[in-house]
Amino acid sequence: MGQGPQIDRRALLAAGAALGLAPALPALAADQDARVRALLKQMTLDEKIGQTHQPAGGRQKALNSKIDATALDLVRKGGVGSYLHVAGAAFLRELQRTAVEESRLKIPLLFAIDVVHGFRTLYPVPLAMAATFDPEIVRATARMAAVETAVSGLHWTFAPMVDIARDPRWGRIVEGAGEDPYLGSVMAAAQVRGFQGQGLNAKDSILACAKHFGAYGAAAGGRDYDSAELSDRTLNEVYLPPFHAAAKAGAGTMMTAFNDLNGEPTTANAALVRGVLKTQWTWPGLVVSDWNAILELINHGVAETPVQAAALALKAGVDMDMASGVYAAHLKTAIAQDPSLLPLLDQAVARILTAKMRLGLFDDPYRFGDPEREKTIFVGPEHRAIAREAARKAVVLLKNDGGLLPIAPTTRKIAVIGALATDSLSQLGSWKARGQVGDVAPLLPALQATAPAGTEIVHVAGASPRSDDESGVPAAVAAAKAADLVLLMVGEDFDHSGESRSRSDLSLPGAQETLARAVLATGKPVVVLLPSGRPLVAPEVLEKAPAVLATWFLGVEAGPALADILFGKAAPGGRLPVGFPRATGQSPTYYAHVPTGRPADPDLAKDTVRYHDVDIGPLFPFGHGLSYAAFAYSDLALDRDSIAPTGAVKVSLTLANTGAVEADEVVQLYVRDPVAGVARPVKELRGFHRLTLKPGERRRVTFTLAAAQLAIWSPGGWRIEAGKVEVMVGSSSADIRLRGAFAIAAPGKGRDPAAAILTPVSVV
Ligand code: NOJ
C-alpha cells in the first residue's frame, strides 16, 4: 500500500508549493490603468470594435488552419482582439509579431484554447477530478496544464467549467464538478488558482475562464442548450456560487452560457451579467460570449437582426464576441443608431486591454511561448506523476462485497472483458486539446506489469459501447469461465458525454448489458470497471456484481492508476460528486432536496414523494465511496452552543483508521436548518477533507463553520435566521456517523453566497 515507488510525492508537493496560490483579481496599478485609458483615447471606433472580435484561428481538430493572408491583413488593421483554436510557440510568436509590429497601435493579441483537463498531458476529466475531493491535486493538475499551455504560446483557457449539473442526461456533466454547489465552489477556486498560478503576471500563468455563466447546467430535460427555468433562490444558492468562488479566487475571465434563463438568453441578460456579475459582485474581469452565441440571439427570438443582437449583447455586458463576427460586422451600425452604446463599448474594450495588461503582454508580447521548452516539456515525468496521482485519487469504489478487491495475490488467471479495456482514446476524455492517444499508458500492459509474476491475463472484447453486435459474447463467457477473476470493463466511451451529447437513456450503450449479464451468469467473481463521463444506470449489473469501480476517463496514466488500485498498491478514496440514480426517469435527483410535506416512505400504501416503480433515492448517493480500510468516527465536539450571525463554530471529530491498510478517507460535513422561513434542504455539504491514515492512526479534524454559511437567499440579500442548526459528519451524504447542533443567536445578513464560502479545515 502507500504511494508506490513510481510517484515522487515530495516532488509533487514541491511543485504545488513553488507554484503557489493566486490572489483575487487585483486592480491594475495606477500607471497601468493610465496606459489603458490613454490607449483607449487613441483608438478609432474600428480599432475598438476590433478588440472585441475573437475569430477562430482554426478548427478544434485543425488549429491555426484559418490564419491566412486575409486574416493577417485584418490583424494589421487592428481588427482582431483575440484568436481561439490556435497553438504552437513559433506560429503564435509570428502571429503576435504581426499584431505588435504591423498594426497602428501595436496592441498584442490574446490567444485562447479549451484546456479543460490538460493541454498535451491529459488528466482525468473534470467530473473525475471532482471525485478526488482533493482541491490540492485539482490545483496541481490545472497548474501543470497551464505550464504546457503557456509554453505553446497561449494566454487563455476556457476553463474551469463550473456549471452545477443535477441531471446526468446532460452530457456536459463530465466537464464540471457535479451536483453540489459547495464542492463546485471548492473545485472552481482550485482550478482558477492552478491556471493563474501566483498571479497573472507570473511565469506560466494563463487566464482562467469560469463558464458558462450562470445557469447552463440547468438545461431542461438535460438537453444541451435548452432553457433553464429556475427560481431566484435556486439560481443564487445552487448555480451561481461556483462562479462567485471563481471570481473570488481571481478568475480573469468568464463566459456567458448559450441558453436562456427564465426566457432571457444569458448573452443578452443585462440583469445577470452586467447586474450581478459586474456590478453586484464588482468583478473586474473580461466577459466573452460562447461560440456564435451573439448571432444566436436571433434564433432565441429576442433580436430580429444582427445589429440588434450586437446591441443587446453589448448592453448585457458581453465584452468579447466569440466566433459570430456580429460585433465586428454590426456594432458600428448599432452605435450609429444608438450613441449611448459607445460608452459601453469603451468599457468592454477597457476590460479587454486590462486583461492583456494583467498578463504583461504590453511589456513583453512574446512572454508566452517557448519553442525550445515546447520540445521537451510535454508529458514530462512530473506531469505524468501528477496525472497518475490524480487518476488514482479519482477512482471511486462503489461496491466491494466480500472484500473482492484488492485482487488476491493468489489469483492466477484474470480475464479482462470489454472493448473499453483497450480503448485508450477514451481515456483522453472529451476535451483533448493537444492530447495524443499514444501518450496514454494502456490498461492491459499495466495490469501485467503490476500483477504478481506468473499471473495470466487474457483479454476478450465481447461487446462494444458502439455496436449492438452480440456475436462476441460467447467467447467472453468462455474466457470468464476459464478465469479465476473477471475484470469487466463496461460503460461509456469518451464521445457519449460532452457538448451536445445528451442522452435520454443512461443504460450501458451497445451490447454491453447483454455481455455483462452473460458474464455475471457464469458465477465467477466479477469486478466491474465502469468508465463514464456521467452517472450510468445499470442497476441489474451493479447490484449483481460483487465489486464495482467508477473509473471515469482518467487521462494519460489511466492504465497504471487502475492497476495500482486493483492490485492494492493504492487504496481507492474517491467519492461520487453526483449520485447515481436507479433509473433514468428519476433524473434530476439530488441529495440536497427540500423535505416536502410528505417525505418519501418505503410504504407504498402511503402517498409520499417518490416513484411507485423504483426504490427511494439514488443507487449510490452523493459523497459515496468505499475503501480497502475502515474508518471510525468519534468524539464530535462543537466549541460553542451558540454563535452570533457574524460568528463561527468549530466542529471537531476524531477519525481513526481501523482497517489493515493505509488508505484515504473523505470526512464530510453537512448542515441543516430544521425550521426556517422557507423550507431548507435536508442536508447541505459545507466542508470536507480528504486525508491519508495508516492502520491504527487517528487524527482530530476541525472544521470552522461560519453562520454566514447558513444564509438563505432572499430578494433583500443573504438572510441569516436565528435558531437551531443541525450538524452532521460522515463518510457520504447517506452515511452520517456523528450528529450535533448549535444555535445562531440572532438574525443577521450575509454578504457572499453561502455555498461559496470555503470552510477552513485543520488536522492534528
Ligand atoms: C462552445 C462551448 O460551449 C464552450 O465551452 C467552449 O469554450 C467553446 N465552444 C470554444 O471551444
Side-chain angles (χ1 to χ4, degrees), residues 60 84-85 114 158 172 175 211-212 216 255 258 290-291 322 431 499:
Q60 265 174 44
L84 82 154
H85 296 338
D114 292 277
F158 299 128
R172 299 199 80 169
E175 295 176 52
K211 68 187 189 185
H212 308 79
Y216 185 43
M255 186 187 295
F258 279 126
D290 203 342
W291 180 277
M322 183 197 291
W431 280 110
E499 187 176 346

Side-chain angles (χ1 to χ4, degrees), residues 55 84 108 118 165 167 181 189 358 453 476 496 518 661 763:
L84 82 154
D167 191 332
R358 284 198 170 102
H496 283 106
V661 294
V763 180

